[in-house]
Amino acid sequence: MSLLSDLVNLNLSETTEKVIAEYIWIGGSGMDLRSKARTLPAPVSDPQKLPTWNYDGSSTGQAPGEDSEVILYPQAIFKDPFRRGNNILVMCDAYTPAGEPIPTNKRYNAAKIFSHPKVVAEEPWYGIEQEYTLLQKEVKWPIGWPTGGYPGPQGPYYCGVGADKAFGRDIVDSHYKACLYAGINISGINGEVMPGQWEFQVGPAVGISAGDELWVARYLLERITEIAGVVLSFDPKPIQGDWNGAGAHTNYSTKSMRNDGGYEIIKKAIENLKLRHKEHIAAYGEGNERRLTGRHETADINTFSWGVANRGASVRVGRDTEKCGKGYFEDRRPASNMDPYVVTSMIAETTILWKP
């Protein structure tokens, strides 16, 4: 096995200029990440200089067998923490051979919103708090939990330390460093309220890059849990009962919100979000009704609310924002399995472009 490890860690730059590019895309379910690799003749740093590629869409639920070719357009490049050297990860979106975005390509519409002059002028910043649950491979039960049984009640696990409170820290720390290596602006990690559940935060990231970075961070986590023999779950309520669910709280600000007088802009934006509550909930992740119950630090899915420092509200404004009269707010409604391209662009559209 040591020879195998040596080969996996070979430094290609010692013998060749060729590099490996891992093309990543989102499959037909909207949450299944796919990837495959190709050799490039030399290092590349600009996604526009990468070749398009294709895959069999009939095998990912994205095309019929009789016309199965789907085209990958490279959109963002990251350093590859697995192969290292000049090797890269390439976040792509998917199109028909005629150049039309396929229905599951949510990045295309998000890019249109983020390229709108009014949105560009406002420089929307995002910080996404991605919660997830680590499951035992054979039984699909959270790691650290007794098989078929339950641990002690919630309380000691949030940001907890110790063998009986923190389960999977080696995976979490490996992911943290892999994200930093890749060039993802990961800003932190912490253990969550339910044992076996963790969170990482991506941001601040501007516009479409928030979606690119979160998707690649998810990809890295999938790969690391694959190595560890642990199953990664983004289910918004993986365990029924008196246990916290998993969300993807999305922190947001515009240039106007960050400037003096921004608190009034924030309140107007929150009013717009209230008026479009149903549309946002419909786009904020599958199974979110199991999580947004009004319990376990959530607001009820059918009722919009906001408040300062209120973790039981749909939208939370921080004490610092209230005190300074400017800053950001947190949309607590998105589920852990939300599509960041959809959520980030929808928030920008509702708060910048949409008129009641």
Side-chain angles (χ1 to χ4, degrees):
M1 290 301 289
S2 61
L3 177 59
L4 185 61
S5 178
D6 288 344
L7 289 170
V8 167
N9 294 316
L10 264 180
N11 184 354
L12 297 178
S13 63
E14 294 176 356
T15 57
T16 180
E17 286 191 358
K18 293 180 179 179
V19 298
I20 302 170
E22 189 80 25
Y23 279 46
I24 303 166
W25 71 96
I26 301 156
S29 75
M31 274 303 290
D32 55 320
L33 283 158
R34 312 278 178 141
S35 75
K36 61 178 183 173
R38 67 183 295 164
T39 305
L40 303 176
V44 178
S45 58
D46 180 357
Q48 301 305 312
K49 294 181 179 178
L50 287 168
T52 59
W53 205 7
N54 64 75
Y55 67 92
D56 171 17
S58 69
S59 296
T60 63
Q62 293 170 297
E66 64 274 12
D67 187 14
S68 66
E69 193 168 286
V70 180
I71 313 301
L72 290 171
Y73 283 46
Q75 299 292 356
I77 290 175
F78 299 85
K79 289 173 65 67
D80 186 340
F82 304 109
R83 296 188 176 107
R84 305 181 193 176
N86 291 321
N87 303 300
I88 56 174
L89 305 174
V90 183
M91 190 65 208
C92 305
D93 59 354
Y95 297 78
T96 67
E100 295 295 319
I102 65 172
T104 52
N105 179 355
K106 306 303 183 185
R107 190 186 192 281
Y108 178 79
N109 281 329
K112 286 203 296 185
I113 291 169
F114 284 122
S115 63
H116 190 286
K118 288 184 179 179
V119 177
V120 171
E122 283 290 353
E123 293 179 14
W125 291 3
Y126 297 90
I128 303 173
E129 304 171 27
Q130 176 68 72
E131 295 177 340
Y132 60 92
T133 309
L134 299 173
L135 305 177
Q136 301 168 48
K137 186 177 178 182
E138 283 74 24
V139 294
K140 301 294 172 64
W141 198 239
I143 63 170
W145 291 37
T147 303
Y150 295 87
Q154 295 183 156
Y157 310 109
Y158 172 70
C159 298
V161 179
D164 58 343
K165 294 179 282 293
F167 311 118
R169 192 184 296 277
D170 53 346
I171 292 171
V172 175
D173 275 350
S174 297
H175 177 250
Y176 196 173
K177 288 186 175 181
C179 285
L180 288 171
Y181 181 95
I184 292 164
N185 194 26
I186 185 170
S187 50
I189 55 147
N190 60 268
E192 266 306 326
V193 177
M194 189 183 84
Q197 193 177 86
W198 294 82
E199 171 184 301
F200 65 89
Q201 302 95 31
V202 167
V206 181
I208 198 75
S209 65
D212 291 336
E213 292 189 25
L214 190 72
W215 273 117
V216 175
R218 285 174 170 177
Y219 174 82
L220 293 177
L221 189 53
E222 287 274 18
R223 288 282 304 274
I224 290 165
T225 52
E226 171 191 321
I227 294 165
V230 169
V231 173
L232 173 63
S233 172
F234 290 114
D235 190 297
K237 187 72 174 180
I239 305 295
Q240 295 304 304
D242 196 19
W243 304 97
N244 273 36
H249 305 152
T250 302
N251 298 276
Y252 171 72
S253 70
T254 63
K255 183 185 285 187
S256 297
M257 295 175 191
R258 296 187 293 269
N259 288 339
D260 290 344
Y263 196 34
E264 291 306 311
I265 307 295
I266 287 171
K267 287 192 281 188
K268 289 176 184 175
I270 292 173
E271 183 61 26
N272 277 17
L273 290 172
K274 177 182 179 180
L275 295 173
R276 295 191 77 196
H277 178 62
K278 287 185 178 179
E279 292 95 323
H280 279 255
I281 287 295
Y284 273 17
E286 294 294 324
N288 212 8
E289 71 283 350
R290 293 184 282 116
R291 167 181 161 262
L292 295 181
T293 61
R295 300 181 64 219
H296 306 108
E297 300 181 76
T298 70
D300 178 77
I301 194 168
N302 297 309
T303 307
F304 183 90
S305 60
W306 78 275
V308 176
N310 184 356
R311 295 186 182 277
S314 308
V315 169
R316 180 186 68 88
V317 174
R319 289 281 182 209
D320 284 349
T321 296
E322 180 189 43
K323 181 180 177 181
C324 297
K326 59 184 177 182
Y328 70 97
F329 64 83
E330 174 192 38
D331 191 338
R332 297 180 59 81
R333 297 171 296 172
S336 50
N337 60 1
M338 63 83 158
D339 187 322
Y341 293 136
V342 173
V343 169
T344 57
S345 62
M346 195 173 192
I347 291 173
E349 181 186 34
T350 295
T351 60
I352 302 171
L353 302 177
W354 184 72
K355 302 297 181 186

